[in-house]
PDB file of all heavy atoms in Angstrom:
ATOM      1  N   LYS A   1      13.749  -5.778  -3.687  1.00 91.00           N
ATOM      2  CA  LYS A   1      13.797  -6.976  -4.518  1.00 91.00           C
ATOM      3  C   LYS A   1      12.423  -7.322  -5.089  1.00 91.00           C
ATOM      4  O   LYS A   1      12.315  -7.858  -6.188  1.00 91.00           O
ATOM      5  CB  LYS A   1      14.342  -8.153  -3.708  1.00 91.00           C
ATOM      6  CG  LYS A   1      15.829  -8.036  -3.378  1.00 91.00           C
ATOM      7  CD  LYS A   1      16.313  -9.244  -2.585  1.00 91.00           C
ATOM      8  CE  LYS A   1      17.805  -9.131  -2.296  1.00 91.00           C
ATOM      9  NZ  LYS A   1      18.302 -10.290  -1.500  1.00 91.00           N
ATOM     10  N   ARG A   2      11.363  -7.019  -4.334  1.00 92.00           N
ATOM     11  CA  ARG A   2      10.002  -7.289  -4.815  1.00 92.00           C
ATOM     12  C   ARG A   2       9.539  -6.251  -5.838  1.00 92.00           C
ATOM     13  O   ARG A   2       8.476  -6.403  -6.430  1.00 92.00           O
ATOM     14  CB  ARG A   2       9.019  -7.290  -3.647  1.00 92.00           C
ATOM     15  CG  ARG A   2       9.149  -8.463  -2.703  1.00 92.00           C
ATOM     16  CD  ARG A   2       7.919  -8.562  -1.814  1.00 92.00           C
ATOM     17  NE  ARG A   2       7.719  -7.373  -1.004  1.00 92.00           N
ATOM     18  CZ  ARG A   2       8.144  -7.237   0.251  1.00 92.00           C
ATOM     19  NH1 ARG A   2       8.810  -8.239   0.825  1.00 92.00           N
ATOM     20  NH2 ARG A   2       7.920  -6.135   0.920  1.00 92.00           N
ATOM     21  N   GLY A   3      10.321  -5.195  -6.010  1.00 93.00           N
ATOM     22  CA  GLY A   3       9.937  -4.148  -6.951  1.00 93.00           C
ATOM     23  C   GLY A   3       8.964  -3.143  -6.382  1.00 93.00           C
ATOM     24  O   GLY A   3       8.351  -2.372  -7.129  1.00 93.00           O
ATOM     25  N   GLU A   4       8.840  -3.131  -5.051  1.00 94.00           N
ATOM     26  CA  GLU A   4       7.830  -2.275  -4.429  1.00 94.00           C
ATOM     27  C   GLU A   4       8.111  -0.799  -4.620  1.00 94.00           C
ATOM     28  O   GLU A   4       7.195   0.021  -4.578  1.00 94.00           O
ATOM     29  CB  GLU A   4       7.731  -2.599  -2.937  1.00 94.00           C
ATOM     30  CG  GLU A   4       6.618  -1.853  -2.232  1.00 94.00           C
ATOM     31  CD  GLU A   4       6.464  -2.246  -0.776  1.00 94.00           C
ATOM     32  OE1 GLU A   4       6.523  -3.447  -0.474  1.00 94.00           O
ATOM     33  OE2 GLU A   4       6.294  -1.334   0.053  1.00 94.00           O
ATOM     34  N   TYR A   5       9.355  -0.417  -4.824  1.00 93.00           N
ATOM     35  CA  TYR A   5       9.676   0.996  -4.989  1.00 93.00           C
ATOM     36  C   TYR A   5       9.274   1.522  -6.372  1.00 93.00           C
ATOM     37  O   TYR A   5       9.292   2.740  -6.590  1.00 93.00           O
ATOM     38  CB  TYR A   5      11.166   1.234  -4.786  1.00 93.00           C
ATOM     39  CG  TYR A   5      11.656   0.884  -3.394  1.00 93.00           C
ATOM     40  CD1 TYR A   5      12.953   0.433  -3.181  1.00 93.00           C
ATOM     41  CD2 TYR A   5      10.820   1.000  -2.288  1.00 93.00           C
ATOM     42  CE1 TYR A   5      13.409   0.121  -1.911  1.00 93.00           C
ATOM     43  CE2 TYR A   5      11.263   0.679  -1.020  1.00 93.00           C
ATOM     44  CZ  TYR A   5      12.561   0.240  -0.833  1.00 93.00           C
ATOM     45  OH  TYR A   5      13.001  -0.075   0.430  1.00 93.00           O
ATOM     46  N   TYR A   6       8.911   0.605  -7.263  1.00 94.00           N
ATOM     47  CA  TYR A   6       8.641   1.006  -8.640  1.00 94.00           C
ATOM     48  C   TYR A   6       7.247   0.622  -9.129  1.00 94.00           C
ATOM     49  O   TYR A   6       6.744   1.219 -10.076  1.00 94.00           O
ATOM     50  CB  TYR A   6       9.685   0.378  -9.570  1.00 94.00           C
ATOM     51  CG  TYR A   6      11.098   0.654  -9.125  1.00 94.00           C
ATOM     52  CD1 TYR A   6      11.829  -0.301  -8.423  1.00 94.00           C
ATOM     53  CD2 TYR A   6      11.694   1.883  -9.360  1.00 94.00           C
ATOM     54  CE1 TYR A   6      13.119  -0.039  -7.983  1.00 94.00           C
ATOM     55  CE2 TYR A   6      12.984   2.159  -8.920  1.00 94.00           C
ATOM     56  CZ  TYR A   6      13.689   1.179  -8.231  1.00 94.00           C
ATOM     57  OH  TYR A   6      14.957   1.452  -7.788  1.00 94.00           O
ATOM     58  N   ILE A   7       6.609  -0.376  -8.508  1.00 93.00           N
ATOM     59  CA  ILE A   7       5.319  -0.887  -8.988  1.00 93.00           C
ATOM     60  C   ILE A   7       4.340  -0.948  -7.821  1.00 93.00           C
ATOM     61  O   ILE A   7       4.592  -1.631  -6.824  1.00 93.00           O
ATOM     62  CB  ILE A   7       5.472  -2.285  -9.619  1.00 93.00           C
ATOM     63  CG1 ILE A   7       6.514  -2.264 -10.741  1.00 93.00           C
ATOM     64  CG2 ILE A   7       4.128  -2.781 -10.149  1.00 93.00           C
ATOM     65  CD1 ILE A   7       6.864  -3.642 -11.270  1.00 93.00           C
ATOM     66  N   ALA A   8       3.219  -0.257  -7.946  1.00 91.00           N
ATOM     67  CA  ALA A   8       2.244  -0.206  -6.852  1.00 91.00           C
ATOM     68  C   ALA A   8       1.698  -1.587  -6.507  1.00 91.00           C
ATOM     69  O   ALA A   8       1.458  -1.900  -5.341  1.00 91.00           O
ATOM     70  CB  ALA A   8       1.100   0.728  -7.222  1.00 91.00           C
ATOM     71  N   ASP A   9       1.505  -2.440  -7.515  1.00 90.00           N
ATOM     72  CA  ASP A   9       0.940  -3.771  -7.270  1.00 90.00           C
ATOM     73  C   ASP A   9       1.868  -4.665  -6.458  1.00 90.00           C
ATOM     74  O   ASP A   9       1.452  -5.728  -5.985  1.00 90.00           O
ATOM     75  CB  ASP A   9       0.615  -4.466  -8.604  1.00 90.00           C
ATOM     76  CG  ASP A   9      -0.574  -3.816  -9.305  1.00 90.00           C
ATOM     77  OD1 ASP A   9      -1.386  -3.180  -8.597  1.00 90.00           O
ATOM     78  OD2 ASP A   9      -0.678  -3.929 -10.533  1.00 90.00           O
ATOM     79  N   SER A  10       3.117  -4.255  -6.293  1.00 90.00           N
ATOM     80  CA  SER A  10       4.057  -5.049  -5.494  1.00 90.00           C
ATOM     81  C   SER A  10       3.828  -4.884  -3.991  1.00 90.00           C
ATOM     82  O   SER A  10       4.370  -5.650  -3.199  1.00 90.00           O
ATOM     83  CB  SER A  10       5.500  -4.667  -5.835  1.00 90.00           C
ATOM     84  OG  SER A  10       5.786  -4.941  -7.192  1.00 90.00           O
ATOM     85  N   ILE A  11       3.043  -3.883  -3.605  1.00 90.00           N
ATOM     86  CA  ILE A  11       2.722  -3.695  -2.188  1.00 90.00           C
ATOM     87  C   ILE A  11       1.711  -4.754  -1.788  1.00 90.00           C
ATOM     88  O   ILE A  11       0.595  -4.791  -2.310  1.00 90.00           O
ATOM     89  CB  ILE A  11       2.151  -2.290  -1.922  1.00 90.00           C
ATOM     90  CG1 ILE A  11       3.149  -1.217  -2.364  1.00 90.00           C
ATOM     91  CG2 ILE A  11       1.801  -2.120  -0.451  1.00 90.00           C
ATOM     92  CD1 ILE A  11       2.616   0.197  -2.245  1.00 90.00           C
ATOM     93  N   LYS A  12       2.096  -5.629  -0.891  1.00 86.00           N
ATOM     94  CA  LYS A  12       1.236  -6.734  -0.465  1.00 86.00           C
ATOM     95  C   LYS A  12       0.740  -6.478   0.962  1.00 86.00           C
ATOM     96  O   LYS A  12       1.432  -6.729   1.934  1.00 86.00           O
ATOM     97  CB  LYS A  12       1.996  -8.063  -0.532  1.00 86.00           C
ATOM     98  CG  LYS A  12       2.582  -8.385  -1.898  1.00 86.00           C
ATOM     99  CD  LYS A  12       1.496  -8.465  -2.977  1.00 86.00           C
ATOM    100  CE  LYS A  12       2.099  -8.800  -4.338  1.00 86.00           C
ATOM    101  NZ  LYS A  12       1.071  -8.793  -5.426  1.00 86.00           N
ATOM    102  N   ASN A  13      -0.481  -5.941   1.073  1.00 90.00           N
ATOM    103  CA  ASN A  13      -1.078  -5.706   2.371  1.00 90.00           C
ATOM    104  C   ASN A  13      -1.798  -6.956   2.857  1.00 90.00           C
ATOM    105  O   ASN A  13      -2.302  -7.754   2.064  1.00 90.00           O
ATOM    106  CB  ASN A  13      -2.074  -4.542   2.292  1.00 90.00           C
ATOM    107  CG  ASN A  13      -1.389  -3.208   2.053  1.00 90.00           C
ATOM    108  OD1 ASN A  13      -0.507  -2.834   2.797  1.00 90.00           O
ATOM    109  ND2 ASN A  13      -1.793  -2.510   1.005  1.00 90.00           N
ATOM    110  N   ASP A  14      -1.840  -7.129   4.161  1.00 91.00           N
ATOM    111  CA  ASP A  14      -2.502  -8.274   4.771  1.00 91.00           C
ATOM    112  C   ASP A  14      -4.015  -8.047   4.741  1.00 91.00           C
ATOM    113  O   ASP A  14      -4.523  -7.122   5.387  1.00 91.00           O
ATOM    114  CB  ASP A  14      -2.031  -8.444   6.213  1.00 91.00           C
ATOM    115  CG  ASP A  14      -2.533  -9.724   6.858  1.00 91.00           C
ATOM    116  OD1 ASP A  14      -3.513 -10.305   6.359  1.00 91.00           O
ATOM    117  OD2 ASP A  14      -1.953 -10.129   7.897  1.00 91.00           O
ATOM    118  N   PRO A  15      -4.764  -8.862   3.998  1.00 91.00           N
ATOM    119  CA  PRO A  15      -6.219  -8.645   3.902  1.00 91.00           C
ATOM    120  C   PRO A  15      -6.940  -8.797   5.236  1.00 91.00           C
ATOM    121  O   PRO A  15      -8.076  -8.337   5.386  1.00 91.00           O
ATOM    122  CB  PRO A  15      -6.658  -9.721   2.904  1.00 91.00           C
ATOM    123  CG  PRO A  15      -5.591 -10.755   2.937  1.00 91.00           C
ATOM    124  CD  PRO A  15      -4.318 -10.022   3.221  1.00 91.00           C
ATOM    125  N   LYS A  16      -6.286  -9.444   6.209  1.00 93.00           N
ATOM    126  CA  LYS A  16      -6.907  -9.592   7.528  1.00 93.00           C
ATOM    127  C   LYS A  16      -6.810  -8.304   8.352  1.00 93.00           C
ATOM    128  O   LYS A  16      -7.491  -8.175   9.375  1.00 93.00           O
ATOM    129  CB  LYS A  16      -6.233 -10.732   8.289  1.00 93.00           C
ATOM    130  CG  LYS A  16      -6.400 -12.099   7.648  1.00 93.00           C
ATOM    131  CD  LYS A  16      -5.666 -13.162   8.450  1.00 93.00           C
ATOM    132  CE  LYS A  16      -5.789 -14.533   7.791  1.00 93.00           C
ATOM    133  NZ  LYS A  16      -5.035 -15.567   8.557  1.00 93.00           N
ATOM    134  N   LEU A  17      -5.946  -7.384   7.916  1.00 95.00           N
ATOM    135  CA  LEU A  17      -5.743  -6.144   8.659  1.00 95.00           C
ATOM    136  C   LEU A  17      -6.346  -4.976   7.879  1.00 95.00           C
ATOM    137  O   LEU A  17      -5.699  -3.973   7.599  1.00 95.00           O
ATOM    138  CB  LEU A  17      -4.247  -5.917   8.904  1.00 95.00           C
ATOM    139  CG  LEU A  17      -3.538  -7.002   9.714  1.00 95.00           C
ATOM    140  CD1 LEU A  17      -2.050  -6.725   9.818  1.00 95.00           C
ATOM    141  CD2 LEU A  17      -4.158  -7.127  11.110  1.00 95.00           C
ATOM    142  N   LYS A  18      -7.619  -5.137   7.538  1.00 96.00           N
ATOM    143  CA  LYS A  18      -8.318  -4.139   6.736  1.00 96.00           C
ATOM    144  C   LYS A  18      -9.129  -3.221   7.656  1.00 96.00           C
ATOM    145  O   LYS A  18      -9.852  -3.676   8.539  1.00 96.00           O
ATOM    146  CB  LYS A  18      -9.244  -4.835   5.739  1.00 96.00           C
ATOM    147  CG  LYS A  18      -9.932  -3.904   4.754  1.00 96.00           C
ATOM    148  CD  LYS A  18     -10.859  -4.677   3.828  1.00 96.00           C
ATOM    149  CE  LYS A  18     -10.083  -5.626   2.926  1.00 96.00           C
ATOM    150  NZ  LYS A  18     -10.971  -6.268   1.931  1.00 96.00           N
ATOM    151  N   PHE A  19      -8.991  -1.915   7.442  1.00 97.00           N
ATOM    152  CA  PHE A  19      -9.709  -0.922   8.235  1.00 97.00           C
ATOM    153  C   PHE A  19     -10.331   0.096   7.287  1.00 97.00           C
ATOM    154  O   PHE A  19     -10.068   0.071   6.085  1.00 97.00           O
ATOM    155  CB  PHE A  19      -8.752  -0.219   9.214  1.00 97.00           C
ATOM    156  CG  PHE A  19      -8.120  -1.149  10.219  1.00 97.00           C
ATOM    157  CD1 PHE A  19      -7.003  -1.913   9.877  1.00 97.00           C
ATOM    158  CD2 PHE A  19      -8.640  -1.265  11.489  1.00 97.00           C
ATOM    159  CE1 PHE A  19      -6.414  -2.767  10.799  1.00 97.00           C
ATOM    160  CE2 PHE A  19      -8.061  -2.124  12.420  1.00 97.00           C
ATOM    161  CZ  PHE A  19      -6.954  -2.874  12.070  1.00 97.00           C
ATOM    162  N   LYS A  20     -11.160   0.979   7.838  1.00 96.00           N
ATOM    163  CA  LYS A  20     -11.808   1.979   7.000  1.00 96.00           C
ATOM    164  C   LYS A  20     -11.619   3.372   7.577  1.00 96.00           C
ATOM    165  O   LYS A  20     -11.615   3.576   8.793  1.00 96.00           O
ATOM    166  CB  LYS A  20     -13.294   1.669   6.852  1.00 96.00           C
ATOM    167  CG  LYS A  20     -13.569   0.456   5.978  1.00 96.00           C
ATOM    168  CD  LYS A  20     -15.035   0.333   5.640  1.00 96.00           C
ATOM    169  CE  LYS A  20     -15.276  -0.830   4.670  1.00 96.00           C
ATOM    170  NZ  LYS A  20     -16.705  -0.953   4.311  1.00 96.00           N
ATOM    171  N   THR A  21     -11.451   4.341   6.661  1.00 96.00           N
ATOM    172  CA  THR A  21     -11.343   5.737   7.057  1.00 96.00           C
ATOM    173  C   THR A  21     -12.730   6.266   7.407  1.00 96.00           C
ATOM    174  O   THR A  21     -13.750   5.573   7.244  1.00 96.00           O
ATOM    175  CB  THR A  21     -10.748   6.577   5.923  1.00 96.00           C
ATOM    176  OG1 THR A  21     -11.699   6.650   4.840  1.00 96.00           O
ATOM    177  CG2 THR A  21      -9.454   5.955   5.403  1.00 96.00           C
ATOM    178  N   ASP A  22     -12.769   7.521   7.871  1.00 96.00           N
ATOM    179  CA  ASP A  22     -14.065   8.133   8.191  1.00 96.00           C
ATOM    180  C   ASP A  22     -15.014   8.083   7.014  1.00 96.00           C
ATOM    181  O   ASP A  22     -16.229   7.909   7.177  1.00 96.00           O
ATOM    182  CB  ASP A  22     -13.866   9.595   8.608  1.00 96.00           C
ATOM    183  CG  ASP A  22     -13.157   9.729   9.944  1.00 96.00           C
ATOM    184  OD1 ASP A  22     -12.940   8.692  10.608  1.00 96.00           O
ATOM    185  OD2 ASP A  22     -12.814  10.873  10.322  1.00 96.00           O
ATOM    186  N   GLY A  23     -14.458   8.239   5.804  1.00 94.00           N
ATOM    187  CA  GLY A  23     -15.279   8.255   4.602  1.00 94.00           C
ATOM    188  C   GLY A  23     -15.534   6.890   4.004  1.00 94.00           C
ATOM    189  O   GLY A  23     -16.130   6.794   2.926  1.00 94.00           O
ATOM    190  N   GLY A  24     -15.047   5.821   4.650  1.00 94.00           N
ATOM    191  CA  GLY A  24     -15.307   4.473   4.171  1.00 94.00           C
ATOM    192  C   GLY A  24     -14.256   3.908   3.246  1.00 94.00           C
ATOM    193  O   GLY A  24     -14.427   2.793   2.719  1.00 94.00           O
ATOM    194  N   ARG A  25     -13.153   4.618   3.033  1.00 94.00           N
ATOM    195  CA  ARG A  25     -12.090   4.075   2.186  1.00 94.00           C
ATOM    196  C   ARG A  25     -11.338   2.989   2.940  1.00 94.00           C
ATOM    197  O   ARG A  25     -11.128   3.071   4.148  1.00 94.00           O
ATOM    198  CB  ARG A  25     -11.118   5.178   1.757  1.00 94.00           C
ATOM    199  CG  ARG A  25     -11.745   6.253   0.910  1.00 94.00           C
ATOM    200  CD  ARG A  25     -10.717   7.261   0.414  1.00 94.00           C
ATOM    201  NE  ARG A  25      -9.996   7.873   1.511  1.00 94.00           N
ATOM    202  CZ  ARG A  25      -8.677   7.889   1.621  1.00 94.00           C
ATOM    203  NH1 ARG A  25      -7.919   7.282   0.717  1.00 94.00           N
ATOM    204  NH2 ARG A  25      -8.093   8.488   2.644  1.00 94.00           N
ATOM    205  N   VAL A  26     -10.885   1.986   2.216  1.00 95.00           N
ATOM    206  CA  VAL A  26     -10.148   0.874   2.829  1.00 95.00           C
ATOM    207  C   VAL A  26      -8.684   1.243   2.991  1.00 95.00           C
ATOM    208  O   VAL A  26      -8.035   1.721   2.047  1.00 95.00           O
ATOM    209  CB  VAL A  26     -10.268  -0.406   1.983  1.00 95.00           C
ATOM    210  CG1 VAL A  26      -9.390  -1.522   2.557  1.00 95.00           C
ATOM    211  CG2 VAL A  26     -11.720  -0.872   1.934  1.00 95.00           C
ATOM    212  N   VAL A  27      -8.159   1.029   4.198  1.00 96.00           N
ATOM    213  CA  VAL A  27      -6.736   1.203   4.487  1.00 96.00           C
ATOM    214  C   VAL A  27      -6.277  -0.041   5.245  1.00 96.00           C
ATOM    215  O   VAL A  27      -7.095  -0.815   5.749  1.00 96.00           O
ATOM    216  CB  VAL A  27      -6.468   2.474   5.317  1.00 96.00           C
ATOM    217  CG1 VAL A  27      -6.672   3.723   4.472  1.00 96.00           C
ATOM    218  CG2 VAL A  27      -7.340   2.516   6.562  1.00 96.00           C
ATOM    219  N   TYR A  28      -4.950  -0.223   5.334  1.00 95.00           N
ATOM    220  CA  TYR A  28      -4.422  -1.453   5.912  1.00 95.00           C
ATOM    221  C   TYR A  28      -3.442  -1.161   7.042  1.00 95.00           C
ATOM    222  O   TYR A  28      -2.757  -0.146   7.064  1.00 95.00           O
ATOM    223  CB  TYR A  28      -3.711  -2.287   4.833  1.00 95.00           C
ATOM    224  CG  TYR A  28      -4.642  -2.818   3.775  1.00 95.00           C
ATOM    225  CD1 TYR A  28      -4.899  -2.081   2.615  1.00 95.00           C
ATOM    226  CD2 TYR A  28      -5.277  -4.048   3.939  1.00 95.00           C
ATOM    227  CE1 TYR A  28      -5.759  -2.566   1.637  1.00 95.00           C
ATOM    228  CE2 TYR A  28      -6.139  -4.541   2.964  1.00 95.00           C
ATOM    229  CZ  TYR A  28      -6.381  -3.790   1.822  1.00 95.00           C
ATOM    230  OH  TYR A  28      -7.239  -4.271   0.871  1.00 95.00           O
ATOM    231  N   GLY A  29      -3.402  -2.092   7.987  1.00 94.00           N
ATOM    232  CA  GLY A  29      -2.426  -2.037   9.059  1.00 94.00           C
ATOM    233  C   GLY A  29      -1.342  -3.070   8.841  1.00 94.00           C
ATOM    234  O   GLY A  29      -1.303  -3.763   7.826  1.00 94.00           O
ATOM    235  N   GLY A  30      -0.441  -3.154   9.832  1.00 91.00           N
ATOM    236  CA  GLY A  30       0.533  -4.236   9.828  1.00 91.00           C
ATOM    237  C   GLY A  30       1.782  -4.019   9.018  1.00 91.00           C
ATOM    238  O   GLY A  30       2.556  -4.950   8.823  1.00 91.00           O
ATOM    239  N   GLY A  31       2.035  -2.812   8.528  1.00 89.00           N
ATOM    240  CA  GLY A  31       3.255  -2.643   7.738  1.00 89.00           C
ATOM    241  C   GLY A  31       3.415  -1.259   7.167  1.00 89.00           C
ATOM    242  O   GLY A  31       3.652  -1.087   5.967  1.00 89.00           O
ATOM    243  N   GLY A  32       3.281  -0.235   7.988  1.00 95.00           N
ATOM    244  CA  GLY A  32       3.467   1.117   7.504  1.00 95.00           C
ATOM    245  C   GLY A  32       2.194   1.716   6.951  1.00 95.00           C
ATOM    246  O   GLY A  32       1.127   1.111   6.974  1.00 95.00           O
ATOM    247  N   ILE A  33       2.325   2.945   6.445  1.00 97.00           N
ATOM    248  CA  ILE A  33       1.211   3.647   5.816  1.00 97.00           C
ATOM    249  C   ILE A  33       1.311   3.459   4.307  1.00 97.00           C
ATOM    250  O   ILE A  33       2.279   3.892   3.674  1.00 97.00           O
ATOM    251  CB  ILE A  33       1.249   5.155   6.156  1.00 97.00           C
ATOM    252  CG1 ILE A  33       1.197   5.385   7.668  1.00 97.00           C
ATOM    253  CG2 ILE A  33       0.127   5.894   5.440  1.00 97.00           C
ATOM    254  CD1 ILE A  33      -0.087   4.988   8.327  1.00 97.00           C
ATOM    255  N   THR A  34       0.328   2.791   3.724  1.00 96.00           N
ATOM    256  CA  THR A  34       0.282   2.649   2.274  1.00 96.00           C
ATOM    257  C   THR A  34      -0.306   3.923   1.688  1.00 96.00           C
ATOM    258  O   THR A  34      -1.388   4.351   2.101  1.00 96.00           O
ATOM    259  CB  THR A  34      -0.574   1.449   1.855  1.00 96.00           C
ATOM    260  OG1 THR A  34      -0.009   0.252   2.398  1.00 96.00           O
ATOM    261  CG2 THR A  34      -0.642   1.322   0.336  1.00 96.00           C
ATOM    262  N   PRO A  35       0.370   4.561   0.747  1.00 97.00           N
ATOM    263  CA  PRO A  35      -0.122   5.848   0.233  1.00 97.00           C
ATOM    264  C   PRO A  35      -1.423   5.693  -0.542  1.00 97.00           C
ATOM    265  O   PRO A  35      -1.710   4.640  -1.108  1.00 97.00           O
ATOM    266  CB  PRO A  35       1.022   6.323  -0.669  1.00 97.00           C
ATOM    267  CG  PRO A  35       1.719   5.069  -1.091  1.00 97.00           C
ATOM    268  CD  PRO A  35       1.618   4.144   0.087  1.00 97.00           C
ATOM    269  N   ASP A  36      -2.196   6.776  -0.564  1.00 96.00           N
ATOM    270  CA  ASP A  36      -3.403   6.807  -1.391  1.00 96.00           C
ATOM    271  C   ASP A  36      -3.046   6.898  -2.867  1.00 96.00           C
ATOM    272  O   ASP A  36      -3.788   6.425  -3.729  1.00 96.00           O
ATOM    273  CB  ASP A  36      -4.266   8.019  -1.014  1.00 96.00           C
ATOM    274  CG  ASP A  36      -4.636   8.029   0.456  1.00 96.00           C
ATOM    275  OD1 ASP A  36      -5.138   7.009   0.943  1.00 96.00           O
ATOM    276  OD2 ASP A  36      -4.408   9.068   1.109  1.00 96.00           O
ATOM    277  N   TYR A  37      -1.918   7.525  -3.145  1.00 97.00           N
ATOM    278  CA  TYR A  37      -1.467   7.684  -4.517  1.00 97.00           C
ATOM    279  C   TYR A  37      -0.004   7.285  -4.575  1.00 97.00           C
ATOM    280  O   TYR A  37       0.853   7.902  -3.947  1.00 97.00           O
ATOM    281  CB  TYR A  37      -1.636   9.139  -4.976  1.00 97.00           C
ATOM    282  CG  TYR A  37      -1.367   9.350  -6.448  1.00 97.00           C
ATOM    283  CD1 TYR A  37      -2.399   9.264  -7.383  1.00 97.00           C
ATOM    284  CD2 TYR A  37      -0.088   9.635  -6.909  1.00 97.00           C
ATOM    285  CE1 TYR A  37      -2.152   9.458  -8.736  1.00 97.00           C
ATOM    286  CE2 TYR A  37       0.161   9.825  -8.255  1.00 97.00           C
ATOM    287  CZ  TYR A  37      -0.867   9.734  -9.166  1.00 97.00           C
ATOM    288  OH  TYR A  37      -0.622   9.910 -10.504  1.00 97.00           O
ATOM    289  N   PHE A  38       0.277   6.233  -5.334  1.00 97.00           N
ATOM    290  CA  PHE A  38       1.630   5.681  -5.407  1.00 97.00           C
ATOM    291  C   PHE A  38       2.470   6.440  -6.427  1.00 97.00           C
ATOM    292  O   PHE A  38       2.053   6.649  -7.568  1.00 97.00           O
ATOM    293  CB  PHE A  38       1.565   4.200  -5.789  1.00 97.00           C
ATOM    294  CG  PHE A  38       2.909   3.561  -5.999  1.00 97.00           C
ATOM    295  CD1 PHE A  38       3.670   3.156  -4.914  1.00 97.00           C
ATOM    296  CD2 PHE A  38       3.430   3.366  -7.271  1.00 97.00           C
ATOM    297  CE1 PHE A  38       4.916   2.574  -5.091  1.00 97.00           C
ATOM    298  CE2 PHE A  38       4.666   2.780  -7.465  1.00 97.00           C
ATOM    299  CZ  PHE A  38       5.414   2.379  -6.364  1.00 97.00           C
ATOM    300  N   ILE A  39       3.656   6.867  -6.015  1.00 97.00           N
ATOM    301  CA  ILE A  39       4.614   7.509  -6.922  1.00 97.00           C
ATOM    302  C   ILE A  39       5.898   6.689  -6.887  1.00 97.00           C
ATOM    303  O   ILE A  39       6.552   6.600  -5.842  1.00 97.00           O
ATOM    304  CB  ILE A  39       4.910   8.959  -6.513  1.00 97.00           C
ATOM    305  CG1 ILE A  39       3.616   9.772  -6.473  1.00 97.00           C
ATOM    306  CG2 ILE A  39       5.907   9.593  -7.493  1.00 97.00           C
ATOM    307  CD1 ILE A  39       3.809  11.210  -6.002  1.00 97.00           C
ATOM    308  N   PRO A  40       6.292   6.072  -7.977  1.00 96.00           N
ATOM    309  CA  PRO A  40       7.484   5.221  -7.967  1.00 96.00           C
ATOM    310  C   PRO A  40       8.759   6.022  -7.790  1.00 96.00           C
ATOM    311  O   PRO A  40       8.818   7.223  -8.085  1.00 96.00           O
ATOM    312  CB  PRO A  40       7.447   4.545  -9.342  1.00 96.00           C
ATOM    313  CG  PRO A  40       6.692   5.495 -10.210  1.00 96.00           C
ATOM    314  CD  PRO A  40       5.671   6.140  -9.315  1.00 96.00           C
ATOM    315  N   ARG A  41       9.773   5.359  -7.312  1.00 94.00           N
ATOM    316  CA  ARG A  41      11.097   5.978  -7.176  1.00 94.00           C
ATOM    317  C   ARG A  41      11.686   6.220  -8.569  1.00 94.00           C
ATOM    318  O   ARG A  41      11.625   5.354  -9.440  1.00 94.00           O
ATOM    319  CB  ARG A  41      12.015   5.067  -6.367  1.00 94.00           C
ATOM    320  CG  ARG A  41      13.436   5.582  -6.217  1.00 94.00           C
ATOM    321  CD  ARG A  41      14.328   4.552  -5.563  1.00 94.00           C
ATOM    322  NE  ARG A  41      14.047   4.399  -4.141  1.00 94.00           N
ATOM    323  CZ  ARG A  41      14.660   3.511  -3.362  1.00 94.00           C
ATOM    324  NH1 ARG A  41      15.579   2.707  -3.872  1.00 94.00           N
ATOM    325  NH2 ARG A  41      14.350   3.424  -2.076  1.00 94.00           N
ATOM    326  N   ASP A  42      12.239   7.394  -8.767  1.00 92.00           N
ATOM    327  CA  ASP A  42      12.899   7.712 -10.038  1.00 92.00           C
ATOM    328  C   ASP A  42      14.381   7.364  -9.911  1.00 92.00           C
ATOM    329  O   ASP A  42      15.107   7.995  -9.149  1.00 92.00           O
ATOM    330  CB  ASP A  42      12.732   9.192 -10.363  1.00 92.00           C
ATOM    331  CG  ASP A  42      13.424   9.581 -11.665  1.00 92.00           C
ATOM    332  OD1 ASP A  42      13.755   8.664 -12.449  1.00 92.00           O
ATOM    333  OD2 ASP A  42      13.641  10.789 -11.893  1.00 92.00           O
TER     334      ASP A  42
END
């Protein structure tokens, strides 16, 4: 309903659950693995 399967900006990660990869990239906890590259459902 939020359109998350089609629009990357619809993914709402909790800013309080921010973590970093070995290389310093930001990733989030609290709701699955957010992909590095979003591909919408066809």
Side-chain angles (χ1 to χ4, degrees):
K1 290 181 178 179
R2 290 195 300 265
E4 185 176 317
Y5 298 149
Y6 308 100
I7 304 172
D9 290 336
S10 298
I11 302 175
K12 304 300 180 184
N13 291 305
D14 188 341
K16 296 178 182 178
L17 300 176
K18 186 182 295 186
F19 298 82
K20 289 191 176 181
T21 69
D22 291 353
R25 297 185 303 125
V26 175
V27 288
Y28 294 91
I33 302 294
T34 299
D36 303 309
Y37 188 91
F38 175 80
I39 302 177
R41 177 187 287 177
D42 179 16

